[in-house]
Amino acid sequence: MIFQILSIIIAFAIQISFPALLKIGSTFPNLVLVLAVFISFAYSRHKALGAALAGGILLDVFSGMPFGLSMLLMLVIVFLVEEAKFFLFADLSLLAFLAAVLGATIFYNIFSFLGAELLYWLNKEIFLVNGSYLFFSVLPKEILYNLISAAALYLLWILAKFLTGYRESWR
Amino acid sequence: MRRIFSSKIFFLIILIAVFSAIFFLDFKDFLNVPKNYIRCLVKPVAGFFYKTGGNTTQKLSALFSVGHLVEQNDFLREQNIKLQASLAKLAELERENELLKGQMETANLKETNLIFANVFGQSPISVNQLVVIDKGINDGILEGAAVLGIGNVLVGKVLEIYSSSATILSIADKISAVRAISQEKRIVGILRGDGTGGLIFEIESAKESPRQGEKIITAGESDIFPKGLLIGEAEKDISIDAEALKKIRIKQSIESGSLENVFVVSK
């Protein structure tokens, strides 16, 4: 699990450190989310939940959003992907992975907005985001960007598997 | 089947209880200490990547600009001739500059201290324009304090504060609003972030627009931002006729995406 958590920390460090390189307009990929979905695809449930927890905490601490929201959403996303991979995705194909990343990106953004709105109703001091800006300007670009990152990550994984002879062990 | 179902319900109840407790503790600011520890833990790694990211961006932009060098050289030669002609007028403008400088050095700024801080990260989600700095309560930083870039250029305000780090809300964030004034025509309006790193200066439709290139400064009508801080310059009128407010795009003097160091105003 240490390897998965370390890779999440590095993905997070890249995400908050290379904005000028990664940005298109003001949008950049959510590498932590993409990697968490990938880990839940390629590794066991415990490793995926550990990675999601670490990624969620980091996103919460640095995003200015209510603490715990990203953590909760990441855990739910990983849990749903874990469930779906047994029932829906028989093989770890690129298409299945992209579908999972697409779903996770939409789920994360919609529920982080709704969650923040709900928590704002309970505590007016928290930081809010602009909904119309999020859904009409940021989300479409982030979906596209996350899918590109996911495809790149998948290809890297295939290459690594080919070179090392690794076989997936989640089953 | 029933056992699986009940175990999942049990798990769900535990999850809701745990996260309700986390939200409650966060609302009461009881989680500031662990949040600060996590930030301190990530700071060295993020700081390294942030610095590397800045250097790489500079190198890449230099690489891509090689093709434009000849073009730029011609342009600079032409500019040089124009500048020599303008030099004659400078003596007259000097007096005007002194007046402008006096305006910039407001009474408020003279009485305040500036705390130097390093930026070591930005918001991990696209929808926010935030930066994270390595100074916090222990260094005398207060929540809501104005944050300046090099040359007393306003870049944002302190949003969240921990013992040894703080989060800065950029003026380019979609939810940011600053009362500002154009320096020559004295047009007062509200400056809002467009969310993409740019700024929009909103003024009443009946009012005249600031001229292109005119400096926009803080109007100083709040406790947060002292009067006379440079924000940027008027770039383009982007208002639509049907709108009640005139909208002018402002070119920020310093973009939050390129920040390496900042100064936090402390009273």
Side-chain angles (χ1 to χ4, degrees):
Chain A
M1 196 193 286
I2 289 171
F3 171 73
Q4 283 76 17
I5 291 174
L6 266 177
S7 57
I8 282 280
I9 291 172
I10 291 170
F12 176 78
I14 292 170
Q15 196 169 320
I16 66 165
S17 313
F18 285 79
L21 275 181
L22 297 172
K23 264 183 189 175
I24 294 177
S26 67
T27 312
F28 48 89
N30 193 338
L31 297 177
V32 172
L33 180 69
V34 172
L35 191 61
V37 173
F38 173 76
I39 289 170
S40 59
F41 250 97
Y43 297 94
S44 66
R45 175 169 291 186
H46 286 94
K47 286 176 179 173
L49 287 174
L53 195 67
I57 289 171
L58 290 171
L59 289 175
D60 275 332
V61 168
F62 283 80
S63 68
M65 302 283 277
F67 187 77
L69 193 57
S70 290
M71 208 182 344
L72 176 64
L73 292 175
M74 293 286 279
L75 284 174
V76 172
I77 285 168
V78 163
F79 184 76
L80 291 175
V81 172
E82 283 284 336
E83 291 292 309
K85 87 178 179 190
F86 281 103
F87 296 110
L88 299 175
F89 310 129
D91 56 337
L92 298 179
S93 68
L94 174 64
L95 209 61
F97 179 46
L98 292 182
V101 169
L102 173 71
T105 307
I106 294 170
F107 182 92
Y108 178 82
N109 279 286
I110 288 177
F111 282 95
S112 63
F113 173 74
L114 292 177
E117 286 283 332
L118 177 71
L119 293 168
Y120 180 78
W121 182 66
L122 298 169
N123 178 9
K124 301 284 180 206
E125 284 182 12
I126 66 161
F127 178 64
L128 269 183
V129 295
N130 184 305
S132 59
Y133 170 64
L134 169 68
F135 294 120
F136 297 112
S137 181
V138 172
L139 187 56
K141 282 188 267 180
E142 193 177 312
I143 288 172
L144 188 70
Y145 222 163
N146 280 359
L147 290 177
I148 293 168
S149 312
L153 184 65
Y154 187 85
L155 292 176
L156 274 176
W157 183 59
I158 294 291
L159 187 70
K161 258 183 18 171
F162 175 74
L163 293 174
T164 59
Y166 170 83
R167 298 209 178 277
E168 59 269 19
S169 58
W170 57 270
R171 285 162 196 276
Chain B
M1 187 69 186
R2 189 180 288 171
R3 188 179 287 172
I4 293 168
F5 184 70
S6 61
S7 73
K8 280 188 178 167
I9 294 284
F10 179 73
F11 175 74
L12 195 69
I13 291 168
I14 293 286
L15 202 69
I16 291 168
V18 167
F19 279 94
S20 301
I22 290 173
F23 294 140
F24 175 77
L25 291 172
D26 189 39
F27 285 172
K28 297 286 174 195
D29 289 337
F30 289 143
L31 296 179
N32 283 358
V33 175
K35 278 158 89 175
N36 186 55
Y37 276 127
I38 295 166
R39 280 174 174 236
C40 290
L41 207 72
V42 176
K43 203 191 292 181
V45 187
F48 167 76
F49 276 107
Y50 193 79
K51 227 169 209 176
T52 317
N55 292 340
T56 316
T57 310
Q58 276 178 2
K59 277 176 190 161
L60 279 179
S61 56
L63 195 74
F64 287 120
S65 66
V66 166
H68 300 291
L69 277 180
V70 178
E71 208 174 296
Q72 256 181 355
N73 196 31
D74 290 342
F75 174 74
L76 286 172
R77 201 175 292 152
E78 195 183 313
Q79 284 289 100
N80 192 30
I81 297 163
K82 281 182 186 168
L83 281 173
Q84 281 182 16
S86 305
L87 210 62
K89 292 180 188 170
L90 269 180
E92 190 62 29
L93 288 172
E94 205 171 320
R95 194 182 143 270
E96 205 176 312
N97 278 344
E98 283 301 315
L99 286 172
L100 293 176
K101 211 184 281 175
Q103 193 175 345
M104 294 293 288
E105 290 170 2
T106 56
N108 284 344
L109 260 184
K110 276 178 188 170
E111 288 163 15
T112 55
N113 293 319
L114 297 177
I115 301 164
F116 179 79
N118 294 305
V119 177
F120 71 91
Q122 302 215 354
S123 173
I125 53 175
S126 301
V127 77
N128 298 340
Q129 301 275 332
L130 308 173
V131 292
V132 189
I133 58 169
D134 65 349
K135 297 279 164 66
I137 298 167
N138 295 346
D139 306 284
I141 289 176
L142 301 169
E143 197 173 325
V147 181
L148 314 177
I150 292 159
N152 281 353
V153 176
L154 182 68
V155 290
K157 68 171 184 178
V158 177
L159 180 75
E160 281 182 332
I161 185 151
Y162 302 99
S163 53
S164 59
S165 70
T167 304
I168 311 300
L169 175 71
S170 163
I171 52 169
D173 191 282
K174 194 74 181 166
I175 64 158
S176 165
V178 180
R179 203 165 163 78
I181 186 168
S182 68
Q183 202 164 30
E184 290 165 33
K185 293 187 178 176
R186 314 306 291 170
I187 303 157
V188 179
I190 302 289
L191 202 76
R192 295 184 193 281
D194 69 356
T196 64
L199 294 171
I200 305 292
F201 187 41
E202 290 181 349
I203 51 176
E204 285 172 33
S205 292
K207 285 183 181 171
E208 196 187 353
S209 301
R211 72 163 180 82
Q212 198 179 353
E214 187 174 342
K215 297 269 185 287
I216 307 295
I217 58 172
T218 50
E221 289 168 26
S222 77
D223 293 337
I224 300 171
F225 304 118
K227 190 179 178 180
L229 296 173
L230 179 65
I231 298 168
E233 55 186 50
E235 199 172 45
K236 195 182 175 188
D237 190 338
I238 53 159
S239 40
I240 302 161
D241 289 343
E243 285 178 335
L245 293 167
K246 209 180 254 186
K247 291 181 176 177
I248 316 293
R249 182 171 288 282
I250 304 298
K251 189 184 176 194
Q252 242 182 305
S253 295
I254 299 177
E255 287 176 23
S256 61
S258 61
L259 283 174
E260 277 185 38
N261 313 109
V262 291
F263 297 93
V264 184
V265 176
S266 96
K267 297 234 166 107

